[in-house]
Amino acid sequence: MRIRPATTAELPALQDIERAAGALFRDLGMPEIADDEPPALDVLERYRGAGRCWVAADERDHPAAYLVAEPVDGALHIEQVSVHPRAARRGVGRQLLAYAADRAREEGLSALTLTTFAEVPWNAPYYARLGFCTLSEADLTPGLRGIRATEAEHGLDRRPRVCMRAPL
């Protein structure tokens, strides 16, 4: 897989990746997550326009996974990383995160942060294997507190969630 910036024309494909990746939550008894709509095209375009929407492209140069991020309190916050199930278990997510880490270093940012489900195997346990540590409530920055509040407003706190950080 080759990691590169997404194009505007690819944004609908990113929504398809999100839907396919989200469907796996149904098997965990989380249909509300499986049925959640992907980011709107204008939201994805905002990330793309800011230079923070990257895809993992397959051998035909079609997106198989994507990552969107934005700076939050001196770190690059991973807003979403999704891998199509056809490309899963090949290190694609790890490649996207490494690419994002390189971009964050170039910008002088100190860490990667993200929020995720604590008990979903391909969420917090996966990120812990990649060097992310769970942050305590006291360790949350103002920006991360705001992100968590927004997630709670959208009902994501029905399942245990955590903030995680990986220093660069």
Side-chain angles (χ1 to χ4, degrees), residues 1 24 32 36 40 42 45-46 50 61 82 88 107 110-111 113 123 133 139 159 167:
M1 296 277 172
L24 299 175
E32 70 281 4
D36 193 38
D42 64 322
E45 177 57 31
R46 185 173 40 97
D61 202 35
S82 293
E107 291 185 41
S110 63
T113 60
N123 281 193
C133 296
D139 291 331
R159 308 289 179 150

Side-chain angles (χ1 to χ4, degrees), residues 10-133:
E10 293 171 329
L11 299 182
L14 304 190
Q15 291 178 315
D16 293 340
I17 291 167
E18 183 70 19
R19 286 184 190 98
L24 299 175
F25 284 90
R26 193 171 311 287
D27 294 339
L28 296 178
M30 299 171 74
E32 70 281 4
I33 304 303
D35 295 336
D36 193 38
E37 279 299 308
L41 292 175
D42 64 322
V43 172
L44 292 171
E45 177 57 31
R46 185 173 40 97
Y47 286 109
R48 193 205 64 75
R52 294 192 179 89
C53 179
W54 303 295
V55 298
D58 64 17
E59 62 281 347
R60 296 177 308 170
D61 202 35
H62 296 135
Y66 80 98
L67 183 150
V68 293
E70 64 185 341
V72 174
D73 299 333
L76 186 63
H77 184 73
I78 308 303
E79 181 58 35
Q80 185 65 41
V81 58
S82 293
V83 178
H84 196 286
R86 288 189 309 256
R89 300 187 166 281
R90 296 187 208 161
V92 177
R94 182 185 331 258
Q95 286 179 284
L96 278 165
L97 288 164
Y99 188 89
D102 289 344
R103 302 298 71 76
R105 282 186 202 93
E106 289 172 2
E107 291 185 41
L109 300 172
S110 63
L112 296 180
T113 60
L114 53 83
T115 60
T116 193
F117 290 107
E119 298 168 356
V120 173
W122 60 87
N123 281 193
Y126 169 76
Y127 295 119
R129 288 191 302 275
L130 297 181
F132 283 81
C133 296

